[in-house]
Amino acid sequence: MKLHGDIKYIGVNDHQIDLFEGQYVVPNGMAYNSYLINDEKTAVIDTVDCRFSGEWLLNLATELNGRVPDYLVIQHMEPDHSGSIGEFLRLYPNTVVVGNAKTFLILDNFWGEEIVKNRLEVKDGEKLTLGKHELTFVFAPMVHWPEVMVSYDAYAKTLFSADGFGKFGALDAEEEWDCEARRYYIGIVGKYGNSVQILLKKAAKLDIETICPLHGPILTENLQHYISLYDIWSSYRTESEGVCICYTSVYGHTKQAAQLLADELAKNGCPKVAVADLARDDMAEAVEDAFRYGKLVLATTTYNASIFPFMHDFLTRLAEHNFQNRHVAIIENGSWAPMAAKVITELLSTCKNITFDGTVTILSALTDENRAQIAALAKKLCE
Ligand code: FEO
């Protein structure tokens, strides 16, 4: 792990977890990163999930090599990072806990006021000198909770970026960064694009050679790649040319329509077609693809005078995550009173800058007319 010599990685890998944050499947597990800066003073940057307190404290003790932590910096109070504060303070009760006013508000809610004996409340931009290393705390509210702050170490040219630049997957998993970082970002921080944009602007003024996030690998090379992806994602721009088709189907007819559209798009040379069955595929991956591509096709049945539940859930998630700046087309299916298009339009009405590219209505099963309409839709989406 390429870290400045005085900075030690003391995090843990979690391969036991079934759903991260109670909802995200993580086939390759999850990493809860934590760091120790060993200078004249020692500072621990964040703790880990409480299920790994023992392993983490052992990692910490090994790197401390007999020393005691002077500071515990709390960048983010979500329990995947703050869950071991209690165990830590039982072992090191005199360590000064560093956070901001909101950190301590949330910390007290989780742990009670009596747990922290020594607290240091910092303001945005305030510095903490450890020796050669000096941490500057940069507040990053809503990336991903209101108390979040990142810490910049000018001596090591290192940004401790909290949840920012994190990804799903344990550190011992061999996988491409972009895909699981995108699913993580869109799912977890996606709603807060404006807050991420503000942080990126602050970070642009810093000389950064290393990014140490709280999840995923430490980033040391080609930082511009990661920063430019964050810029695209947080400004809700299209990352890749292509069409995302998300469907639900009860007896297979709507699935047939979705598949036909995918085939027609391929025939028309569409650079990428991503297809998701919302009842069976990972919903977070479907949300990720909806944000990744510029065009989204929603195919679903009318159900209980509304739309099929998985599509309803999907659209609610899109709206909650600030889905915007996209083209949307609809394939609705309904035997006697199709109304999926109406419901979809209503559910997306809060999303900014959505261009509707038309609706194909199927009455139960595909007709030749429907096939021609889908072929025409494919052409239009490829223009
Ligand atoms: Fe990794 Fe928002 O916690």
Side-chain angles (χ1 to χ4, degrees), residues 18-35:
D18 61 342
L19 294 175
F20 178 65
E21 290 194 355
Q23 61 169 312
Y24 298 102
V25 292
V26 280
N28 285 326
M30 203 64 205
Y32 313 118
N33 298 341
S34 168
Y35 305 90

Side-chain angles (χ1 to χ4, degrees), residues 16 30 32 55 89 119 156 172 230 249-250 269 280 323 363:
Q16 300 161 13
M30 203 64 205
Y32 313 118
E55 182 184 339
L89 289 175
R119 32 181 100 194
D172 50 8
Y230 257 62
S249 190
V250 186
R280 293 175 179 82
F323 184 70
L363 299 174

Side-chain angles (χ1 to χ4, degrees), residues 48 105 177 183 206 313:
V48 299
L105 194 78
W177 188 89
R183 190 168 70 95
L206 305 172
D313 179 15

Side-chain angles (χ1 to χ4, degrees), residues 92-225:
Y92 306 109
N94 295 320
T95 296
V96 176
V97 177
V98 183
N100 55 56
K102 285 194 176 119
T103 316
F104 289 116
L105 194 78
I106 300 173
L107 195 152
D108 292 348
N109 287 345
F110 272 111
W111 294 98
E113 282 178 29
E114 43 311 310
I115 196 167
V116 181
K117 210 162 109 186
N118 299 310
R119 32 181 100 194
L120 174 62
E121 190 181 307
V122 295
K123 302 241 175 322
D124 190 17
E126 208 169 315
K127 294 177 194 301
L128 176 69
T129 303
L130 305 172
K132 296 186 294 294
H133 297 261
E134 185 179 61
L135 294 175
T136 305
F137 302 109
V138 179
F139 287 14
M142 300 321 295
V143 185
H144 146 232
W145 279 16
E147 83 296 0
V148 170
M149 59 185 194
V150 300
S151 312
Y152 176 65
D153 176 348
Y155 177 69
K157 298 187 179 177
T158 295
L159 180 71
F160 297 95
S161 59
D163 271 343
F165 299 98
K167 70 180 270 297
F168 294 132
L171 295 195
D172 50 8
E174 287 280 328
E175 63 184 2
E176 186 216 13
W177 188 89
D178 294 9
C179 190
E180 282 299 73
R182 187 191 302 105
R183 190 168 70 95
Y184 166 89
Y185 172 86
I186 301 294
I188 288 173
V189 197
K191 179 180 177 60
Y192 304 109
N194 288 345
S195 307
V196 175
Q197 280 285 307
I198 291 168
L199 179 59
L200 287 177
K201 285 188 177 74
K202 288 182 181 176
K205 294 181 189 147
L206 305 172
D207 183 6
I208 300 169
E209 286 181 357
T210 304
I211 297 176
C212 292
L214 290 179
H215 303 288
I218 290 158
L219 306 174
T220 53
E221 280 163 18
N222 198 11
L223 296 189
Q224 202 44 48
H225 170 74

